[in-house]
Amino acid sequence: MSAKLLKSGLIVSFMTLISRVLGLMRDVVVANFIGAGAAADVFFFANRIPNFLRRLFAEGAFSQAFVPLLAEVKAKHGDDAVRELLAKVTGSLGVVVTLVTLFGVIASPLVAMLFGMGWFVEWLNDGPEAHKFELASLMLKITFPYLWFISLVALSGAVLNTYNRFAVAAFTPVFLNIAIIACAVLLAPTLDEPALALAWGVFIGGVVQLLFQLPFLAKAGLLVWPKWGWRDENVTKIRKLMLPALFGVSVSQINLLLDTVIASFLLTGAVSWLYYSDRLIEFPLGLFGIAIATVILPNLSRHHATENTERFSQTLDWSLRFVALFGIPAMAGLMVLAQPIIALLFMRGEFSQNDVLMVSYSLVAYSTGLLSYMLIKVLAPGFYARQDIKTPVRIGIIAMVANMLFNLMLAPFLSYVGLALATAMSASLNAFLLYRGLKLAGVYQLSKTSALFLLKLILASLMMAALLYWQTPTLNDWVVLSFTTQVWRLCLLCGLAVVGYFSVLWLFGVRLAHFRTNSVAESN
């Protein structure tokens, strides 16, 4: 079982890697065109709304509610029942998403007011930054339809994942990045406001993603004609599960939106600095955390449906080991190499050395919660696979309230960096409470072998970080290097980190056997 999970996880990770690399290329292009000024703030604001919705639907509430039920229907009733469920879900929930999308387009000024309150106040008072509110309202009209497309993409991807066709759904986000890059390069120079071209890239990316998945769905014999089934038993169950699930695994995204509201009151550039640092955090999070969560949810749902509690617990334990293996060193590495990475990727065109410094501060703050972000992705499916929505909802609400309290405590003293640190702190609280909930439910408890394994990872990561700190030049010394020299220097530093980290782990006795589920069973 662990070998199959590892193979599926590596496939999703590889496809996600392609997407994340293109995502970084997209951000490099965006940084070059609009930097971190007023236009950048507005685009990242307008992009964060559909991105937030993508997380809720593609990686959050919809998938967490739909996949367990789909796996159960498939296991107990077969493919014909799956097609019937898919038709009713597409027809019923599709109507709801259409209405929400239309509301978002029509009421975009209201959305801009709610999440960009600082800009709205400027607009009311005819302040110098009033144009931000007007531009945000316009951009949202263009980007909001992304919700409609990504909802259908999420539905299609969930079905394909349930049938163990993980590569298609994992590769799909590549087309969003390609669309934004293409619009930035080809369309932006022709417009008075280049940021509008990026908004159109988001819209086009949504269309292309959906068109890409449909042939694979048809090949699997699962492309069905939508039908209305709002009161169908399974559709009703999905609706009831989906609404509270919005607060579960996606609480960190809600926190980011709340951060955006507060950041709109801060100095110009704050929204952009938070965006760039969040994007760098998304790279390892998507590569390992989201990829493994995507793979384990159908497996956990199947184990729950067949009442295989031992395999259920083993899958969670294996997943925690896997994300910790990469998440802990990634957290340490990002903290030490923050400035060289940001300078190499973004410092050109409108993106200044001061922007590098500002982004690095929030990146270090976000990085303190990287492992927690990953653990949330792994632990939350332990509840959703059992169709237990209430527990993670309660935990999510606690974490969200805590985030706001942390914001109020830290933002007055640390400005936007306080917002990033508050997000990391609330994510850590969320992850701890999720683990405690699984433990109290008797579903999963960290094995002694895994606890020792985590300790070894922490020690190895600290040694790796010390080595990197010793070898990493200051920002002033870094920026005078040529681009080619920076690339080679960063590659050498990353190579040194990898060799140092895994060498220490080998000395600590860590072997591939730590990823065999039978060893987990023996230790429990």
Side-chain angles (χ1 to χ4, degrees):
M1 189 268 287
S2 60
K4 185 177 180 180
L5 278 177
L6 181 60
K7 180 181 178 181
S8 299
L10 290 176
I11 291 173
V12 176
S13 292
F14 178 73
M15 294 301 179
T16 305
L17 174 63
I18 297 174
S19 175
R20 298 299 179 180
V21 168
L22 277 171
L24 284 178
M25 291 176 58
R26 177 195 75 191
D27 291 334
V28 168
V29 172
V30 171
N32 183 62
F33 271 96
I34 59 179
D41 279 356
V42 176
F43 168 69
F44 294 140
F45 165 84
N47 186 47
R48 178 158 285 177
I49 303 299
N51 194 51
F52 164 70
L53 294 169
R54 175 177 69 86
R55 295 292 167 74
L56 290 182
F57 285 85
E59 298 154 4
F62 180 78
S63 293
Q64 305 298 3
F66 180 60
V67 171
L69 186 61
L70 184 66
E72 181 180 323
V73 171
K74 180 177 181 291
K76 295 181 177 179
H77 305 291
D79 292 342
D80 289 338
V82 168
R83 280 187 280 270
E84 180 69 15
L85 173 63
L86 185 57
K88 291 180 178 178
V89 170
T90 305
S92 303
L93 299 186
V95 171
V96 175
V97 173
T98 300
L99 294 175
V100 172
T101 301
L102 289 174
F103 173 80
V105 172
I106 297 170
S108 61
L110 178 61
V111 178
M113 179 191 72
L114 291 174
F115 295 105
M117 186 64 68
W119 302 339
F120 177 69
V121 172
E122 283 285 300
W123 180 76
L124 277 181
N125 297 324
D126 199 23
E129 296 188 346
H131 65 288
K132 285 187 176 181
F133 174 74
E134 296 172 350
L135 184 58
S137 300
L138 176 59
M139 280 194 181
L140 280 172
K141 289 185 183 298
I142 301 173
T143 60
F144 214 95
Y146 183 76
L147 168 61
W148 191 88
F149 295 107
I150 202 60
S151 296
L152 295 180
V153 168
L155 176 64
S156 171
V159 174
L160 292 171
N161 286 341
T162 303
Y163 281 77
N164 295 321
R165 302 183 183 186
F166 297 104
V168 177
F171 187 77
T172 300
V174 165
F175 295 101
L176 173 64
N177 296 321
I178 292 175
I180 294 177
I181 292 172
C183 286
V185 174
L186 302 176
L187 184 58
T190 68
L191 301 177
D192 294 332
E193 180 50 75
L196 286 177
L198 304 178
W200 280 111
V202 173
F203 178 90
I204 295 171
V207 176
V208 176
Q209 286 181 93
L210 179 59
L211 294 177
F212 170 72
Q213 285 197 355
L214 291 180
F216 293 96
L217 207 60
K219 185 177 180 180
L222 297 167
L223 186 60
V224 296
W225 191 257
K227 65 170 65 173
W228 181 254
W230 185 256
R231 298 191 181 279
D232 177 80
E233 179 183 356
N234 288 326
V235 174
T236 301
K237 196 170 185 179
I238 292 173
R239 286 193 286 116
K240 290 180 178 179
L241 291 172
M242 189 174 172
L243 185 59
L246 294 172
F247 292 96
V249 77
S250 302
V251 161
S252 61
Q253 300 305 312
I254 296 174
N255 287 339
L256 285 174
L257 278 182
L258 295 175
D259 290 349
T260 302
V261 175
I262 298 175
S264 70
F265 287 94
L266 303 177
L267 66 166
T268 294
V271 174
S272 299
W273 297 329
L274 287 172
Y275 171 83
Y276 285 117
S277 54
D278 176 56
R279 287 295 301 161
L280 289 173
I281 287 292
E282 288 296 323
F283 192 89
L285 177 60
L287 199 58
F288 304 115
I290 295 174
I292 293 302
T294 300
V295 170
I296 67 170
L297 181 57
N299 282 277
L300 289 173
S301 302
R302 184 162 53 250
H303 295 327
H304 176 68
T306 57
E307 300 182 355
N308 194 334
T309 55
E310 183 181 4
R311 285 296 190 186
F312 191 98
S313 178
Q314 289 176 0
T315 300
L316 281 174
D317 203 65
W318 177 88
S319 303
L320 189 146
R321 289 168 180 262
F322 188 90
V323 297
L325 177 68
F326 297 100
I328 295 175
M331 179 170 61
L334 280 174
M335 289 181 182
V336 179
L337 296 176
Q339 293 179 1
I341 291 173
I342 296 163
L344 174 65
L345 292 175
F346 303 127
M347 189 177 162
R348 60 185 57 83
E350 298 297 321
F351 202 95
S352 67
Q353 184 173 338
N354 180 66
D355 292 324
V356 173
L357 278 173
M358 297 297 103
V359 174
S360 70
Y361 297 149
S362 54
L363 176 57
V364 170
Y366 274 138
S367 296
T368 60
L370 177 58
L371 180 61
S372 297
Y373 307 143
M374 290 185 177
L375 290 178
I376 292 171
K377 298 295 183 184
V378 168
L379 295 174
F383 293 94
Y384 292 115
R386 298 165 54 240
Q387 299 179 26
D388 175 9
I389 303 297
K390 293 181 179 179
T391 302
V393 166
R394 286 196 299 265
I395 292 172
I397 292 174
I398 292 171
M400 188 164 58
V401 172
N403 180 70
M404 290 308 300
L405 292 176
F406 294 148
N407 279 339
L408 295 175
M409 290 166 55
L410 298 174
F413 303 100
L414 300 176
S415 186
Y416 70 100
V417 179
L419 301 181
L421 188 58
T423 299
M425 292 168 63
S426 65
S428 299
L429 175 63
N430 195 348
F432 169 75
L433 293 176
L434 285 172
Y435 170 72
R436 192 183 70 165
L438 290 172
K439 183 179 178 181
L440 292 176
V443 176
Y444 169 68
Q445 181 173 352
L446 185 69
S447 64
K448 294 179 181 178
T449 304
S450 291
L452 180 60
F453 179 72
L454 292 178
L455 179 60
K456 292 176 180 179
L457 297 184
I458 293 171
L459 292 175
S461 297
L462 288 174
M463 294 181 184
M464 180 203 75
L467 179 63
L468 280 179
Y469 184 79
W470 175 50
Q471 289 293 319
T472 302
T474 65
L475 180 60
N476 288 333
D477 292 334
W478 182 268
V479 296
V480 298
L481 300 175
S482 67
F483 176 77
T484 303
T485 304
Q486 286 183 3
V487 171
W488 281 111
R489 190 74 176 271
L490 186 59
C491 288
L492 288 174
L493 287 171
C494 292
L496 180 65
V498 171
V499 172
Y501 174 67
F502 284 103
S503 295
V504 173
L505 286 182
W506 187 84
L507 293 175
F508 283 165
V510 174
R511 301 292 186 268
L512 287 177
H514 286 86
F515 294 94
R516 295 174 186 163
T517 52
N518 58 346
S519 66
V520 175
E522 291 167 1
S523 63
N524 282 333

